[in-house]
Amino acid sequence: QVQLVESGGGLVQPGGSLRLSCTASVSIRLATMGWYRQAPGKQRELVASFMFNNNTNYADSVKGRFAISRDNAKNTVDLQMNSLKSDDTAVYYCQLRQPWGNTYWGQGTQVTVSS
């Protein structure tokens, strides 16, 4: 069974930084890896994705502040979050999407941006 384990969430002041990490129990070499978030009362939304061909995609709200990276050798995907705002407060989820369609989610990690 595929497992995704996230880490790195926490409480940070506005303007601060956090780095989220997700480790998969399977090879991510051919997968699209993504980070999503869900704030209270809102739908889950894509934050950033990293395709197997090295194409990346970011939500407009995080462009220039967040950076997604992956290490296929370690089966990890990270999300570096800088210049955090209160609007970034949410539960962040890692997603693995295999080219044949299977999709898996991590358990989520809370990010709270508050003074």
Side-chain angles (χ1 to χ4, degrees):
Q1 185 172 350
V2 176
Q3 291 186 326
L4 301 173
V5 179
E6 299 125 333
S7 61
L11 173 64
V12 64
Q13 292 186 342
S17 298
L18 278 177
R19 188 177 185 88
L20 305 182
S21 185
C22 172
T23 301
S25 61
V26 296
S27 172
I28 67 168
R29 187 172 63 87
L30 297 179
T32 294
M33 301 300 298
W35 283 98
Y36 288 71
R37 67 186 181 188
Q38 187 166 18
K42 295 187 177 181
Q43 290 188 334
R44 191 173 297 189
E45 62 175 359
L46 173 69
V47 176
S49 63
F50 201 142
M51 296 181 68
F52 72 96
N53 61 1
N54 291 331
N55 285 344
T56 57
N57 183 42
Y58 293 91
D60 287 343
S61 59
V62 306
K63 283 181 180 176
R65 300 188 298 122
F66 290 11
I68 189 171
S69 60
R70 65 190 286 164
D71 186 332
N72 289 343
K74 296 181 180 179
N75 296 323
T76 59
V77 59
D78 291 350
L79 184 69
Q80 177 66 42
M81 305 185 294
N82 300 324
S83 303
L84 283 161
K85 308 173 182 179
S86 57
D87 287 348
D88 296 319
T89 295
V91 178
Y92 284 69
Y93 297 91
C94 175
Q95 184 200 63
L96 182 155
R97 180 155 45 91
Q98 294 171 327
W100 45 92
N102 292 358
T103 299
Y104 303 92
W105 294 91
Q107 80 285 357
T109 185
Q110 177 70 47
V111 171
T112 302
V113 183
S114 175
S115 55

